[in-house]
Amino acid sequence: MGSLIRYELKKMLSRRVSQVSIAAVLALVAVIAFFNITSQYALDPKEMGTEFEGTAAIAQIKADTEALAGPITDEEATEALREFKEFVGPDGEVKEEYRTDRKPYGEKANEYWEFSAKNGALMALLTSPWMQGYQMPVSAAAAIDTTGTVDLYGRVRSKIASGLDANGALSYNDDERAFWSERAQGMQTPIEYGYAGGWEDFLNLAQFLIFAMLAVVITCASVFNGEYRAKTDAILLSTKFGKSRLGRAKAAASMIAASAIYWVFTLVFLAITLVFYGADGAGLPIQIYNITCTYGISLSAAALICCLVGYLATLALLGIVLALSAKIDSPMGILAVGVALILIPIFVPTMTSSIANRVIYLFPYDALNPLNLFGMVSYAIGPVVVELPVFLAAFYLLLFATGIALAIRTFKRHQVA
């Protein structure tokens, strides 16, 4: 069996199309990393109108964030918001004397520039529980009452509760509301603020893992039907182990190849991100990425979960591809299905139907969006409520197992022309 697996693996990876697709995916890692790093920018707190770019910006962001690191208590949040509101008028706009977005600058523009440079990210986090839609931090800050101590985490729970009651992208039954409300009440507070640029950036880019899935689809599309086109099926299926072991060997080799492609891409992608941004903040809570997240996990755990969900999605696609490969002679139809499952959801907007949105979240691109994966997305099975990561794991494993079983069975029963 081992020799069969090695032979199938060698045959699969020796195809020119497989080599080109794998090389293209690895090259894509470098391109994405390059543009992601060079596109970073940060304000220079010491000189108004000056910005840092690339690695210099990353270093400045790290220095600014580390200067503010520590637990975000209600008292700390109140003091920070009060300082922010000194620059904001009742209309939700920056006061004229602090304006930096027009010339001539306001007479005290340098003060607001320095504050924004050092505290911009923290203000976006603190004001997010009050934001409505795409509201900016400045507009949200104007509506926050800081005459007394701000109940930051009470406001977070209130926003979570309003999301459960709103008729938005998802609707919830009573069991789901109770599930997420209990999770919200159990959130650990105060949250610890600090620098975790590498982990946050990886979460922002997690959806690019779909390109590794594309390479897997291209590599494995001809595993079974390649024998049909080459007319070697008649010989192979008539051998001693043709019907009993060959199908399993092909499936095992495909799984090894798919796993290698996915994890090499993922680990290189993660390594590049952590090298340039640093691995600091691995233990910081996911709430500094999204303060209304109800999951009690760290940012590094969230990154690991994204990687595992992406891997299970890759296996699910592999199962579908192999099932089609054992049934369909032409690899182009299989590639079309695989590409459609991976890329078409990119262009599908959020629906008004809760059921439709729950279906969309099962596709790899939407599943790898951290705002979906660690948001309040759940599936009610009777009285049992299953959150999205768990449901995805079960769903993808079922697709993988079913696809592999169908592929082996179909190949074994293939009627030679």
Side-chain angles (χ1 to χ4, degrees):
M1 186 70 172
S3 59
L4 280 176
I5 293 174
R6 287 192 295 272
Y7 174 74
E8 290 298 331
L9 192 59
K10 180 180 179 181
K11 185 166 61 173
M12 189 187 314
L13 297 178
S14 63
R15 296 191 187 102
R16 180 58 60 88
V17 66
S18 300
Q19 295 171 351
V20 171
S21 65
I22 294 169
V25 164
L26 291 176
L28 190 63
V29 174
V31 172
I32 293 171
F34 174 77
F35 283 109
N36 177 55
I37 292 165
T38 56
S39 66
Q40 298 300 310
Y41 79 95
L43 307 181
D44 183 355
K46 298 179 181 179
E47 186 173 351
M48 190 172 67
T50 303
E51 297 179 354
F52 295 110
E53 296 181 354
T55 54
I58 294 171
Q60 184 62 49
I61 292 169
K62 182 178 181 180
D64 293 337
T65 306
E66 288 179 341
L68 300 170
I72 304 178
T73 62
D74 286 341
E75 291 74 18
E76 292 286 343
T78 302
E79 289 302 315
L81 288 169
R82 282 175 182 166
E83 187 177 0
F84 186 28
K85 289 192 68 173
E86 290 294 322
F87 302 102
V88 182
D91 59 351
E93 299 286 342
V94 177
K95 295 177 182 176
E96 286 297 323
E97 62 266 34
Y98 298 112
R99 298 295 290 262
T100 62
D101 59 345
R102 64 181 64 164
K103 291 186 178 182
Y105 296 134
E107 58 186 21
K108 297 181 181 179
N110 60 314
E111 295 179 23
Y112 181 62
W113 177 274
E114 182 179 358
F115 178 85
S116 296
K118 295 180 178 179
N119 300 273
L122 179 60
M123 292 305 103
L125 181 70
L126 294 181
T127 57
S128 59
W130 284 268
M131 289 182 186
Q132 302 294 324
Y134 296 100
Q135 193 175 23
M136 299 299 291
V138 170
S139 300
I144 302 174
D145 182 6
T146 55
T147 54
T149 302
V150 171
D151 184 9
L152 176 65
Y153 299 104
R155 179 67 187 184
V156 169
R157 289 188 288 270
S158 177
K159 186 168 186 178
I160 292 172
S162 64
L164 293 172
D165 294 330
N167 294 319
L170 297 176
S171 59
Y172 304 90
N173 62 26
D174 292 339
D175 292 321
E176 289 177 296
R177 290 192 188 92
F179 176 85
W180 291 113
S181 297
E182 184 179 349
R183 287 277 290 268
Q185 292 297 328
M187 290 172 59
Q188 295 293 317
T189 58
I191 63 174
E192 186 80 14
Y193 185 71
Y195 177 76
W199 303 105
E200 291 185 88
D201 195 68
F202 181 79
L203 290 175
N204 289 332
L205 300 176
Q207 288 172 293
F208 283 109
L209 296 178
I210 62 172
F211 290 107
M213 300 177 197
L214 280 175
V216 169
V217 169
I218 295 170
T219 300
C220 300
S222 298
V223 168
F224 287 102
N225 63 26
E227 310 295 356
Y228 307 159
R229 298 194 312 277
K231 304 299 182 183
T232 55
D233 51 343
I235 299 172
L236 293 173
L237 288 171
S238 63
T239 61
K240 181 179 180 181
F241 300 119
K243 289 183 178 294
S244 60
R245 296 186 183 180
L246 184 57
R248 297 200 301 273
K250 285 179 175 292
S254 299
M255 183 176 175
I256 293 170
S259 300
I261 293 169
Y262 175 82
W263 284 113
V264 167
F265 176 91
T266 301
L267 294 177
V268 169
F269 200 15
L270 178 59
I272 292 174
T273 303
L274 296 183
V275 164
F276 283 93
Y277 289 85
D280 313 62
L284 291 175
I286 193 174
Q287 281 73 27
I288 67 171
Y289 181 81
N290 176 14
I291 200 169
T292 57
C293 179
T294 63
Y295 286 77
I297 57 176
S298 65
L299 284 165
S300 57
L304 175 60
I305 291 171
C306 271
C307 293
L308 291 174
V309 167
Y311 177 58
L312 294 177
T314 302
L315 292 182
L317 285 167
L318 176 65
I320 294 171
V321 165
L322 292 183
L324 292 173
S325 180
K327 189 71 175 177
I328 302 173
D329 290 348
S330 172
M332 295 308 297
I334 301 170
L335 290 175
V337 172
V339 170
L341 291 173
I342 294 170
L343 296 183
I344 287 182
I346 296 175
F347 307 100
V348 178
T350 301
M351 303 289 189
T352 55
S353 168
S354 178
I355 295 175
N357 288 325
R358 281 184 166 89
V359 172
I360 291 171
Y361 293 151
L362 298 178
F363 288 87
Y365 180 79
D366 288 282
L368 289 172
N369 182 343
L371 297 180
N372 296 336
L373 188 60
F374 303 113
M376 293 189 296
V377 182
S378 55
Y379 297 79
I381 306 172
V384 179
V385 177
V386 183
E387 59 264 66
L388 182 59
V390 177
F391 192 88
L392 286 172
F395 178 66
Y396 288 154
L397 286 173
L398 178 62
L399 283 179
F400 171 64
T402 303
I404 291 293
L406 286 174
I408 294 173
R409 181 174 179 271
T410 303
F411 183 70
K412 184 186 300 185
R413 298 186 176 188
H414 175 66
Q415 297 296 315
V416 180

